[in-house]
Amino acid sequence: MCQSERALSAHGGNEATLTPISVYRLIFYNTEPNLQFTVNLGGGILRMSVGFIGAGQLAHALVKGFTAAGVIAANRITASSPDTDLPTVSGLRKMGVSLTTSNKEATHKSDVLFLAVKPHIIPFVLDEIGPDIEDRHLIVSCAAGVTISSIEKKLLQYRTSPKVMRCMTNTPVVVREGATVYATGTHADVEDGKLLEQLMASVGFCTEVEEDLIDAVTGLSGSGPAYAFTALDALADGGVKMGLPRRLAVRLGAQALLGAAKMLLDSEQHPGQLKDNVCSPGGATIHALHFLESGGFRSLLINAVEASCIRTRELQSLADQEKISPAAIKKTTLDKVLQQPGVSSTSVGTKSRVNLFNNRSGAKKN
Amino acid sequence: MSVGFIGAGQLAHALVKGFTAAGVIATHRITASSPDKDLPTVTGLRVSVIATHRITASSPDKDLPTVTGLRKMGAFFTTSNKETVNKSDVLFLAVKPHIIPFVLDEIGPDIEDRHLIVSCAAGVTISSIEKKLLQYRPAPKVIRCMTNTPVVVREGATVYATGTHAEVEDGKLLEQLMASVGYCTEVEEDLIDAVTGLSGSGPAYAFLAVDALADGGVKMGLPRRLAVRLGAQALLGAAKMLLESEQHPGELKDNVASPGGATIHALHVMESGGFRSLLINAVEASCIRTRELQYLADQEKISPAAIKKTTLDKVLQQPGVTNAGVGVRTGLNLFNSTNPKHKKN
C-alpha cells in the first residue's frame, strides 16, 4: 500500500476530518506517477447548507465549481431569484440545486448565505431578509464596491452581531481556477473566515486581504478574465490573418496563455525573466515584443486595472450616499418580490429618495 | 526507446522537465501495455506513457546553466553529438536554426534506419533537412515540430508536420510524447510559421501582460506578490474557461462585463488604445520574422561570422568529427547535394 493509500484509509472515509485541501493534496501531490484510486466525495465535505440570493452568472459559476470540487453536495444548496426566466436558473436546476422565488426561503435553508446580486440590489435584499437572519448565518457579500460597514449597518437593525464577510471572486471559479480574496467583518470569527476560505479554495486561489484592497483586486482579477478574453480574440485574429483556421487559432492562443500563466505561478522567477527566456537573439519573439512595446501594450493594461478599480470606488460612493432611485428597479421585479410570503411594502422600502442604510426601522420618508 | 537531444539549452531542458514530470521518462516505474519492449511505438496505453529508458543530451558547451538542470533530472549529458545519435531512437534537434546545417553535417553519417529526426528549429523546413540527410541515407525520417516553453509545466502547445519518409506511426509516436506535455496536433507544414507567431511566441506576450497587470495592481495599492499572483491566476482561469467552453471568446467577455460596471469601463480603455490591434501586430511580426529566417537559411549560405571559433573548436575535438565533416569556409554551400568532402574555396 503506498503512502497516499495509507493516509486515506487512516482517515477512514470520515468526512468530518477530511478537508478539501487535504484531499487535494493526497490526490495531486503524491509521488506515485501511476497511483490510481477513487475518493467518493459524493456526499460533499461540508455538512452545512449554502444559499445564494441571486441565481445569475455568479451563483451559477460558484455552484458549478463547488459541485465539481465535491466540497458541498448540490442538495445542500438553495438559490433564490424573483426572476425564474434567467438562463442560469435552468442550469442551476440541472445541477440539483433547489430553486425558489423567495429570498426568505433561501435564508431559512442556509447557514452560509452568498449575496450574489448586483450592488444596487443589495439594500433591497438586506431589508427583505434582515428579520430572518439568525445567529448561525454567515453573510458573504460578493457585490463589487459594497462595504462591510454598509451591510453591517443595515443588519444591525435586526441582530446585535451579524456575521458579515466580503469577498471578490471571478468567473473562472466555474472551471475551478478562480481568484478570490475576502475580508472579515466585525462580528465574524477567524473560523468563519477559514470556512469561507475552504469553500473558495476548492474552486481556485483564495486568500484573506484587508478590505481596502478589494477594489484594486476587482480591477485586476475581478475584471481580469475579460481582458484575457479580449486578448484571446485578438490573438486568434492574428493567427487567422497569418493563415491558421479559426478553431486552431483559438485553441493555440488559449493554450499558450494558460501555459504561460501556469509557468509563472509555478516559478519563483520574475515575469520579465521568463519573458527573456522566450526571446532568442534576433528571433521571432523579440520582433513581436517590439511591436507590443511600441504600441504601449503595458500601459493599456495598467490603464484597464486602474479604470476598473476607479469605477468600483465610484459605485461604492454612489451606494454610500444611501439614496436609491426607483429608476434602479423594474416595477415587475419589485412586484414579484412583494408577492413572496412574508414580504410587505414596509419591509422593502422603495419610495422616492428613501434612506435605505439608516438606523431607524424601515419607516419610509416621504 | 531512447530519446536524444542535440542541444542542451532552454528547449531541451523544458522538454526533459516536462517529459520527466509526465512520467514518460521513468527509470524504474514505467507503465506500458506492449509485450514487446523493442517496438518503436507502443499502442493501447491507458496512461499516455511510453517505455523510455534513457535520455541523452549533447552540447559542445558544458557550461550552459541548463546543463546542470538536465543532469539533475537524470539525463545523460555528453559533449559529443555523435554519441547522442548513437544512443537515441528519437532525436530532437534542439539547437538554434543557424546551427542546424552544422549539426546535420556532423551527425549525418551516424544516422541509421531506426532514427526519427525531430527538428524544433523555427523556420527550418523539412525539405532542407531531408535534402541534407539524403546525402547519407536513402530515406531519412524527418518530422518538424513547433512547441513552446510551457511544456516545462506540461501545458505546452505543439504542432508537427511529417516528412516524406516518416510514417504515420512516427507521427503518432511524436504526438504521444508531446501530448504528455500539453496540447499537440498535426498540421500542414505551411502553417508552422503562423503557429510560431501565435503559440510559439505567445508565452512572451503573456509574461509581458502579467507584468503590466501587476503594475496596475500595485499602482492601485496591492502588494507586488499578490498582484502577480492574482494577475497570473486570472489569465490562467480565463484561458481554461475558453478551452473548456463551446462559447466564443466575445461571449465569455460579455458575461463578465455587467452593465455600467467596472469591467466595461476597463474594456473601453483597452479598446481606445488599440489593444487588439497590438496583439494582431505581434503575431504577424513574429510570423514574418520566422519566414525571414527561413528564407535566409534557404539561401544555403552560412557565414563563418555565425559560429564562435571556440564552439567550432570544441566540436572538432569530438571523436569522429573531421574538418571535412563540418564544412565551415567562407560562403560554403551547406545544403548542396555534392559530397561534403569536396569543399569549395
Side-chain angles (χ1 to χ4, degrees):
Chain A
M1 204 193 266
C2 73
Q3 182 190 32
S4 309
E5 285 165 318
R6 270 195 292 272
L8 263 184
S9 62
H11 276 96
N14 182 345
E15 287 184 339
T17 61
L18 270 179
T19 67
I21 309 293
S22 58
V23 172
Y24 183 88
R25 286 200 180 114
L26 282 173
I27 296 176
F28 294 106
Y29 290 153
N30 75 79
T31 55
E32 306 272 334
N34 300 309
L35 183 65
Q36 286 181 27
F37 58 86
T38 55
V39 175
N40 185 355
L41 294 176
I45 300 298
L46 291 180
R47 292 210 174 278
M48 46 189 50
S49 300
V50 169
F52 289 86
I53 305 289
Q57 296 282 349
L58 182 60
H60 184 263
L62 282 171
V63 170
K64 193 158 184 193
F66 290 158
T67 47
V71 70
I72 180 146
N75 57 23
R76 289 190 189 277
I77 305 180
T78 311
S80 63
S81 168
D83 184 354
T84 47
D85 295 329
L86 289 172
T88 41
V89 165
S90 48
L92 282 164
R93 248 195 212 108
K94 278 188 198 142
M95 288 189 273
V97 167
S98 310
L99 263 299
T100 169
T101 46
S102 164
N103 291 336
K104 282 174 173 303
E105 187 183 338
T107 308
H108 291 148
K109 286 183 166 156
S110 316
D111 304 305
V112 177
L113 189 64
F114 283 92
L115 304 183
V117 292
K118 298 210 170 38
H120 66 278
I121 305 288
I122 293 280
F124 291 100
V125 164
L126 292 176
D127 258 332
E128 190 193 340
I129 64 172
D132 303 282
I133 306 283
E134 313 262 324
D135 280 341
R136 74 174 190 281
H137 280 109
L138 176 60
I139 312 291
V140 181
S141 163
C142 306
V146 178
T147 56
I148 290 176
S149 72
S150 64
I151 299 173
E152 285 180 342
K153 204 167 154 193
K154 192 81 174 140
L155 292 179
L156 280 166
Q157 303 175 48
Y158 304 102
R159 298 210 73 74
T160 47
S161 328
K163 293 196 292 184
V164 177
M165 304 196 60
R166 175 180 176 186
C167 90
M168 167 51 52
T169 181
N170 65 1
T171 43
V173 289
V174 75
V175 291
R176 300 181 57 201
E177 287 289 357
T180 308
V181 300
Y182 69 93
T184 319
T186 323
H187 309 284
D189 303 317
V190 170
E191 290 83 35
D192 298 316
K194 290 297 163 204
L195 176 65
L196 181 67
E197 194 165 322
Q198 219 178 340
L199 260 175
M200 302 309 294
S202 74
V203 292
F205 172 69
C206 180
T207 191
E208 184 183 8
V209 294
E210 299 89 339
E211 193 187 1
D212 60 9
L213 296 187
I214 292 189
D215 297 330
V217 173
T218 307
L220 176 53
S221 56
S223 297
Y227 314 154
F229 297 135
T230 306
L232 288 167
D233 207 8
L235 284 169
D237 278 345
V240 170
K241 177 174 180 179
M242 306 319 289
L244 299 180
R246 172 68 57 173
R247 279 182 68 97
L248 180 63
V250 173
R251 184 79 206 247
L252 290 172
Q255 185 64 39
L257 216 60
L258 189 148
K262 186 153 198 252
M263 273 179 83
L264 189 48
L265 287 169
D266 283 1
S267 163
E268 294 298 315
Q269 292 181 304
H270 190 282
Q273 178 69 55
L274 291 171
K275 174 215 83 182
D276 290 353
N277 293 348
V278 186
C279 294
S280 42
T285 306
I286 194 69
H287 276 67
L289 286 183
H290 188 190
F291 264 94
L292 292 178
E293 298 285 8
S294 301
F297 180 77
R298 293 185 194 242
S299 186
L300 290 179
L301 286 167
I302 300 177
N303 289 347
V305 175
E306 181 182 51
S308 173
C309 177
I310 285 175
R311 177 61 179 169
T312 303
R313 291 173 184 165
E314 258 176 34
L315 292 170
Q316 179 175 318
S317 166
L318 288 172
D320 282 349
Q321 282 173 23
E322 301 186 1
K323 288 188 178 9
I324 196 116
S325 150
I329 299 279
K330 281 191 293 194
K331 186 73 163 73
T332 43
T333 307
L334 187 56
D335 274 0
K336 284 180 191 170
V337 170
L338 288 173
Q339 281 162 34
Q340 300 311 317
V343 180
S344 65
S345 294
T346 51
S347 62
V348 182
T350 54
K351 296 288 185 263
S352 329
R353 302 287 173 265
V354 175
N355 261 3
L356 283 171
F357 283 113
N358 56 21
N359 280 328
R360 311 191 330 244
S361 78
K364 299 185 294 293
K365 289 185 190 153
N366 276 318
Chain B
M1 184 200 66
S2 301
V3 173
F5 289 86
I6 305 289
Q10 295 281 349
L11 182 60
H13 184 264
L15 282 172
V16 172
K17 192 159 183 189
F19 290 155
T20 318
V24 165
I25 312 302
T27 50
H28 52 273
R29 282 200 213 105
I30 301 168
T31 304
S33 62
S34 167
D36 182 354
K37 68 174 168 50
D38 294 319
L39 270 181
T41 55
V42 179
T43 55
L45 293 168
R46 269 187 307 133
V47 179
S48 57
V49 168
I50 304 170
T52 306
H53 300 284
R54 185 169 45 193
I55 304 184
T56 312
S58 57
S59 167
D61 184 356
K62 52 184 190 321
D63 297 325
L64 290 171
T66 40
V67 168
T68 337
L70 281 164
R71 275 210 183 95
K72 278 192 197 144
M73 290 188 275
F76 176 73
F77 177 78
T78 168
T79 47
S80 165
N81 290 336
K82 284 176 174 299
E83 191 180 347
T84 300
V85 175
N86 292 334
K87 289 188 157 127
S88 313
D89 305 306
V90 177
L91 188 66
F92 283 91
L93 304 182
V95 291
K96 298 207 170 43
H98 66 278
I99 304 289
I100 294 278
F102 291 101
V103 163
L104 291 176
D105 259 332
E106 189 195 340
I107 65 174
D110 302 284
I111 305 284
E112 313 259 326
D113 280 342
R114 73 175 192 278
H115 281 110
L116 176 62
I117 312 292
V118 181
S119 164
C120 306
V124 178
T125 57
I126 290 176
S127 71
S128 64
I129 299 173
E130 285 180 342
K131 203 166 156 191
K132 194 79 174 143
L133 291 178
L134 281 166
Q135 301 174 51
Y136 305 100
R137 298 210 71 75
K141 296 196 289 185
V142 178
I143 294 187
R144 175 182 178 186
C145 90
M146 168 50 52
T147 182
N148 65 1
T149 42
V151 289
V152 75
V153 291
R154 299 182 59 197
E155 288 289 357
T158 308
V159 301
Y160 68 95
T162 323
T164 322
H165 309 285
E167 314 276 333
V168 171
E169 292 84 37
D170 298 314
K172 290 297 166 204
L173 175 64
L174 181 69
E175 193 167 323
Q176 236 176 329
L177 256 175
M178 301 309 294
S180 74
V181 293
Y183 173 70
C184 181
T185 190
E186 184 184 7
V187 295
E188 299 88 338
E189 192 187 1
D190 59 11
L191 296 187
I192 292 189
D193 298 330
V195 173
T196 308
L198 177 53
S199 56
S201 298
Y205 316 153
F207 297 136
L208 212 68
V210 175
D211 206 10
L213 285 170
D215 278 345
V218 170
K219 177 173 181 179
M220 306 318 289
L222 299 180
R224 172 68 57 174
R225 278 182 68 97
L226 179 62
V228 173
R229 185 77 205 250
L230 290 172
Q233 184 65 37
L235 287 193
L236 189 147
K240 190 160 191 235
M241 274 180 81
L242 185 51
L243 286 170
E244 296 190 6
S245 164
E246 294 298 316
Q247 291 179 301
H248 189 283
E251 208 178 330
L252 292 171
K253 174 215 83 180
D254 291 353
N255 293 346
V256 184
S258 44
T263 304
I264 193 72
H265 276 67
L267 288 177
H268 186 193
V269 168
M270 286 166 66
E271 298 285 6
S272 302
F275 180 79
R276 294 183 191 244
S277 186
L278 292 180
L279 285 165
I280 299 178
N281 287 346
V283 174
E284 181 181 50
S286 174
C287 178
I288 286 174
R289 178 62 180 169
T290 303
R291 291 175 183 163
E292 260 176 31
L293 292 169
Q294 178 176 317
Y295 175 72
L296 289 170
D298 280 350
Q299 282 176 17
E300 302 184 1
K301 285 188 178 17
I302 196 115
S303 148
I307 299 277
K308 283 192 289 196
K309 187 73 163 71
T310 43
T311 308
L312 189 57
D313 274 357
K314 284 181 193 170
V315 172
L316 289 172
Q317 279 161 35
Q318 301 309 319
V321 181
T322 64
N323 273 339
V326 184
V328 179
R329 292 287 177 262
T330 330
L332 181 67
N333 262 5
L334 282 171
F335 280 114
N336 56 23
S337 294
T338 60
N339 192 312
K341 285 192 174 56
H342 302 296
K343 297 188 299 290
K344 291 185 190 157
N345 275 318

